[in-house]
Amino acid sequence: MQKILSGVQVKDLDSHHLKLTGQSSHELMESASLAFVSWFLEHGFSTENLIQIAVGGGNNGGDGLAIARLLSEQSYSVSVLKCFDSVDNLSSDSLFNFKKLPNSIPVLEFQDWMFPENGILIDAYLGVGLKGELRPAAIEIIQKLNEFGGTVISIDVPSGLPSDEVAKEQAVKADFTISFAFPKLSLVLPENAEFAGELVVLKIGLADEAYEGLDSAFYYLESKDIFALHKTFNRFSYKGDMGKILLVGGSPGKMGALILCAKSALRTGSGLVTCHMEDSERVIIQTAVPEAMASWGLIPNPEFYDAVGIGPGWGTENRSRLFKQFLQDFKKPIVIDADGLNLLARNPDLLPLIPKNSVLTPHIGEFTRLVGKANNHLERLVLAKKFAMDNELILVLKGANTVISLPDGKQVVNSSGNKYMATGGSGDVLTGMITSYLGMGYIPENAALCGVFHHGLAGEMASTSKRRSMIASDIIDAIPETYIQLNIS
């Protein structure tokens, strides 16, 4: 998995890469600029759009100058918005690209900026090296850039946004942020969503060895990581090898959660799925999910099952006693979601009974009730890390960029998924998927990582034809396609 480094580490990363490869710094800048232009062309922006590129004096501005040249070569009409005082103040690589700028590209002083009604602004003003508070001149420039009415694309981070923190001052409000190598931490914080827009991460050929010696607790989970996390099965495998799982949940009026959980587990690959619920609701399950079995009352012989998921639609009234008995009887890692988490919040004395390396999957509200309040998402991630380490559990904090906190202190940011997954039942689908992988014999960490990534990818696929009309069942229907795309047999 890709390390997510801090803004101050980026300079060291580049330096390590240059020493390892013998590449010059302006050649690396050209690689980044070419990656941006390739994305830009693939996105299909029309050559009829006037492109204005706001350029600062640092290396972020150097990227902007190189991009200006490269887009001009692709027949785009480009102008540069000057955000630096003098050419003498440019970084060496920025100066290199400034000198290569064709004479046909105008460089406009601040007082001469005029924004077209429809156009594209590429923000290459302030990059990851931003430190301290913004100067008044920088605030004025950012305010002016935010008057732009067309599409805004920021390079690496929106100008004014710190690399690793929640925004404290003004920042450019981008429609897209193109981050090189890995997403900067601030781009996955929900408080910064109005600035970051849609996040795109582009690889620029940095050597893997360049990351050695650069410490980080944050990692970025990408599609290339998933194949190695999966188990393989042979042609003699049978349904017992694919896992016998128990899903505990559902209650009158909330059986849909358990149904979604069961269907997603089956689609993920579980061999045998049993749903445990109240006696009065068993007909619903066996009608809605004929492939699943049903049980009710006490949980008989829990050790029969390879994995258990507990909580979706379960309710909290009169559940504590059964939950405690189950935790005392079942010693393998489990998945706890929804009302299972709410029961833990009400009965913290149950927490030590949870088997080590179990997977807890709260959304922000459930997290707050269970772990505690935070002033912002960055503080919430600190609490999540401590909770996972102190209790030797895996905590999956669900959101636009779901973060998996592991008992060893690592925190993994998921790259798949989109805004259309914010729909009732989506979390129940994830519970079924992670439980399914646990039942197949995946180690808990891999079960959580695979479940989260496939869940997000299924959401992306389902939303391509449905967008905001997508429902949780659509995510389930798309699970098989995720295996095909990732070449998982």
Side-chain angles (χ1 to χ4, degrees), residues 162-239:
S163 297
D164 317 300
E165 301 173 8
V166 174
K168 297 176 182 176
E169 300 184 81
Q170 297 189 53
V172 166
K173 294 181 179 180
D175 296 293
F176 298 90
T177 297
I178 311 304
S179 193
F180 297 130
F182 53 86
K184 309 314 175 273
L185 186 60
S186 63
L187 301 176
V188 301
L189 302 178
E191 293 89 350
N192 294 334
E194 65 173 311
F195 306 110
E198 182 178 334
L199 173 63
V200 179
V201 178
L202 299 180
K203 299 301 182 182
I204 58 174
L206 291 171
D208 291 340
E209 297 82 359
Y211 290 86
E212 293 179 4
L214 297 174
D215 295 330
S216 176
F218 288 100
Y219 291 78
Y220 194 52
L221 182 65
E222 302 172 276
S223 60
K224 66 180 180 62
D225 302 315
I226 301 302
F227 186 89
L229 301 178
H230 276 288
K231 288 187 65 176
T232 56
F233 297 92
N234 59 51
R235 65 192 182 95
F236 293 103
S237 298
Y238 75 113
K239 61 186 178 183

Side-chain angles (χ1 to χ4, degrees), residues 275-467:
C275 296
H276 187 86
M277 77 226 72
E278 293 183 22
D279 183 4
S280 62
E281 309 304 300
R282 68 180 188 271
V283 173
I284 295 176
I285 275 288
Q286 298 194 291
T287 302
V289 194
E291 298 89 348
M293 295 176 286
S295 70
W296 50 91
L298 297 176
I299 301 175
N301 190 22
E303 287 297 323
F304 168 79
Y305 300 100
D306 298 307
V308 175
I310 190 163
W314 200 26
T316 55
E317 296 303 318
N318 302 315
R319 303 296 193 198
S320 298
R321 193 177 194 177
L322 179 61
F323 193 21
K324 182 175 182 178
Q325 186 61 55
F326 168 77
L327 292 176
Q328 290 173 332
D329 293 342
F330 195 81
K331 302 305 179 185
K332 303 170 191 173
I334 62 176
V335 182
I336 305 176
D337 184 33
D339 286 324
L341 298 170
N342 292 329
L343 282 168
L344 287 176
R346 290 186 181 188
N347 303 276
D349 57 302
L350 297 180
L351 195 57
L353 300 178
I354 300 173
K356 302 306 180 188
N357 291 307
S358 290
V359 183
L360 280 59
T361 61
H363 56 55
I364 288 177
E366 292 161 346
F367 177 92
T368 300
R369 289 190 287 274
L370 177 63
V371 181
K373 293 182 179 180
N375 292 318
N376 56 54
H377 202 61
L378 202 56
E379 289 186 10
R380 195 173 291 117
L381 293 181
V382 172
L383 292 176
K385 178 177 179 177
K386 186 176 188 305
F387 181 90
M389 295 179 71
D390 289 349
N391 296 286
E392 297 180 63
L393 299 171
I394 298 170
L395 193 143
V396 176
L397 180 55
K398 296 181 289 194
N401 287 101
T402 292
V403 179
I404 303 102
S405 298
L406 302 172
D408 63 2
K410 289 182 182 177
Q411 293 186 284
V412 182
V413 179
N414 183 42
S415 65
S416 66
N418 58 31
K419 60 188 177 184
Y420 304 116
M421 297 179 71
T423 183
S426 179
D428 304 315
V429 174
L430 177 62
T431 298
M433 296 178 75
I434 297 175
T435 308
S436 179
Y437 287 127
L438 267 184
M440 291 183 218
Y442 286 55
I443 63 171
E445 176 179 331
N446 289 355
L449 295 174
C450 288
V452 166
F453 189 87
H454 278 269
H455 179 252
L457 184 57
E460 290 178 17
M461 292 177 169
S463 68
T464 55
S465 61
K466 297 178 176 65
R467 297 197 178 182

